[in-house]
Amino acid sequence: PALRSGAGAAPTKPAVAVWVGLALCALLAVAQVALGGYQVGVGNQSIQIAFVKAWANPGLFANDEMVRQTMPLYPSYFFRALAPWVRAWGLDPVYLLLQLLTSYLTVAGVYVLGRSIFRSHAAALAGAALVVLGHQTALAGDGLYSAGFTHTYFALPVALFALALAYRRHMVWACVVCGVLFNIHALTAAYAVL
């Protein structure tokens, strides 16, 4: 569509529908997991899996001092929320599904944020495609992709969607999302708020 100028000009819609970009993000997310890999038992999972299993089966770690003393101090409701799913289906299938979902939401979050900032499908898709390279290690040693599912990795797309809401001037909803995010991963929520 041609751009109109002057007073009263209607904003133009992007030439490509959002759903097309989100569908492409699904393909990019599958590529990200395939390139970056997937593992159970890496990083913080060594303690977090014990928390999930303890919430799913309170008797399992009843005499484990580390779990018993540390779990009440861990500032997240995330593991408690996962417990019914792990109890019903087991840890491995739930974590794999959440890894795939989180990868998709991260890529889609970058895409939506890019569209919110630049109002451009091409810019948003370029940002989303760059996230797929997130399994590459940055200079500081951290990557954007985590081969093991954690609440930190899950928090990233939530923060991205909060930022997209803020760029679209939906400040109340952005603050609500950040409030929920504080209960998942407080540090990521603080980054989003700043």
Side-chain angles (χ1 to χ4, degrees), residues 20-37:
V20 173
L22 294 175
L24 291 170
C25 287
L27 296 174
L28 289 170
V30 170
Q32 183 180 43
V33 174
L35 291 170

Side-chain angles (χ1 to χ4, degrees), residues 93-110:
V94 169
Y95 266 44
L96 177 59
L97 178 65
L98 288 172
Q99 179 76 4
L100 292 166
L101 177 65
T102 302
S103 293
Y104 171 72
L105 291 175
T106 301
V107 174
V110 169

Side-chain angles (χ1 to χ4, degrees), residues 86-168:
V86 169
R87 188 180 313 116
W89 293 319
L91 183 89
D92 290 342
V94 169
Y95 266 44
L96 177 59
L97 178 65
L98 288 172
Q99 179 76 4
L100 292 166
L101 177 65
T102 302
S103 293
Y104 171 72
L105 291 175
T106 301
V107 174
V110 169
Y111 177 80
V112 170
L113 180 59
R115 280 189 77 129
S116 297
I117 295 170
F118 301 110
R119 308 279 192 233
S120 164
H121 168 74
L125 194 57
L130 287 172
V131 170
V132 174
L133 299 176
H135 68 283
Q136 302 295 328
T137 303
L139 291 175
D142 287 332
L144 292 174
Y145 177 77
S146 172
F149 176 74
T150 66
H151 73 307
T152 305
Y153 184 48
F154 183 81
L156 177 59
V158 178
L160 291 169
F161 283 108
L163 291 172
L165 286 167
Y167 270 100
R168 298 239 177 211

